Amino acid sequence: MQSKDILIDNIDKVHTTEMGVGRISRNLEISGDVVEYCKDKILKNESKVKKEGKNYYVEIDDCIITVNASSYTIITAHKMS
């Protein structure tokens, strides 16, 4: 099974911590529900997902979202330079 398929199959488990909310909001310059924002990005057809070590890296639009592969916690997200 492909990394993207695994992540999409477990999209309901995707979450973040309180600190993660602040970090992601700041890095992506967004307000509102950062988890829903990231889930929407992950679910886009054009998103590219690769697994490296214990994390999934989702590249979409101009950002990279890092998700822990075992807990489905969004660790961080940042704009590509």
Side-chain angles (χ1 to χ4, degrees), residues 32-48:
D33 190 332
V34 298
V35 173
E36 286 306 312
Y37 178 89
C38 290
K39 283 182 180 182
D40 289 345
K41 292 281 189 191
I42 292 165
L43 291 169
K44 281 188 167 186
N45 284 336
E46 6 5 308
S47 70
K48 294 189 183 98

Side-chain angles (χ1 to χ4, degrees), residues 2-81:
Q2 300 255 332
S3 295
K4 183 169 182 173
D5 296 330
I6 295 167
L7 192 52
I8 288 172
D9 284 352
N10 291 284
I11 199 75
D12 291 342
K13 296 178 187 171
V14 173
H15 65 283
T16 195
T17 61
E18 209 172 301
M19 282 176 58
V21 169
R23 186 170 44 249
I24 295 161
S25 298
R26 194 171 53 250
N27 291 352
L28 296 182
E29 299 170 6
I30 57 171
S31 57
D33 190 332
V34 298
V35 173
E36 286 306 312
Y37 178 89
C38 290
K39 283 182 180 182
D40 289 345
K41 292 281 189 191
I42 292 165
L43 291 169
K44 281 188 167 186
N45 284 336
E46 6 5 308
S47 70
K48 294 189 183 98
V49 179
K50 67 180 174 195
K51 186 172 185 240
E52 279 183 22
K54 60 182 180 162
N55 295 327
Y56 290 114
Y57 295 91
V58 183
E59 285 188 33
I60 179 69
D61 299 332
D62 65 340
C63 66
I64 298 175
I65 302 166
T66 307
V67 181
N68 180 281
S70 57
S71 67
Y72 298 100
T73 305
I74 306 166
I75 298 162
T76 192
H78 59 271
K79 292 187 175 193
M80 289 190 261
S81 44

